[in-house]
Amino acid sequence: MDCGGTVGTSATLNPLWQAPPASALKISTDAACFCDDERNGRGGAAAVLCSSDGVVLGAAALQLKRIMDATHAEMLALLLGIELGKRYRMV
């Protein structure tokens, strides 16, 4: 599996995924939340661990409940990334 599809830039010249230096690993995280009354602060968080070659070495995802806002969801995604890094003895 490939971390970025196309490593480099998109048609608008915005970076899609930047590889870490050779022999290094990179953890990417993201989150989303639906913080309106109807969905009761639900969301999701994910983390992906990639090599400098763009190979996926590990990944994790969580369903989130009782999220206050997008910052809260992103913070939980960062914590998930740290836990993923611990599994690979990065942290």
Side-chain angles (χ1 to χ4, degrees):
M1 183 168 274
D2 185 346
C3 278
T6 303
V7 176
T9 60
S10 69
T12 59
L13 300 179
N14 292 325
L16 295 176
W17 184 78
Q18 295 294 324
S23 302
L25 301 177
K26 181 176 185 175
I27 299 172
S28 298
T29 62
D30 199 8
C33 80
F34 302 100
C35 298
D36 56 14
D37 291 335
E38 187 176 301
R39 295 187 184 127
N40 299 320
R42 295 182 183 269
V48 179
L49 175 66
C50 297
S51 70
S52 59
D53 299 337
V55 175
V56 174
L57 302 174
L62 288 175
Q63 181 181 18
L64 303 175
K65 297 178 182 178
R66 294 185 288 258
I67 302 301
M68 295 182 293
D69 55 26
T71 301
H72 185 199
E74 292 287 351
M75 184 268 313
L76 293 172
L78 290 172
L79 290 173
L80 183 62
I82 291 169
E83 290 299 320
L84 183 61
K86 284 181 179 178
R87 285 189 231 158
Y88 285 84
R89 301 185 193 280
M90 291 177 61
V91 181

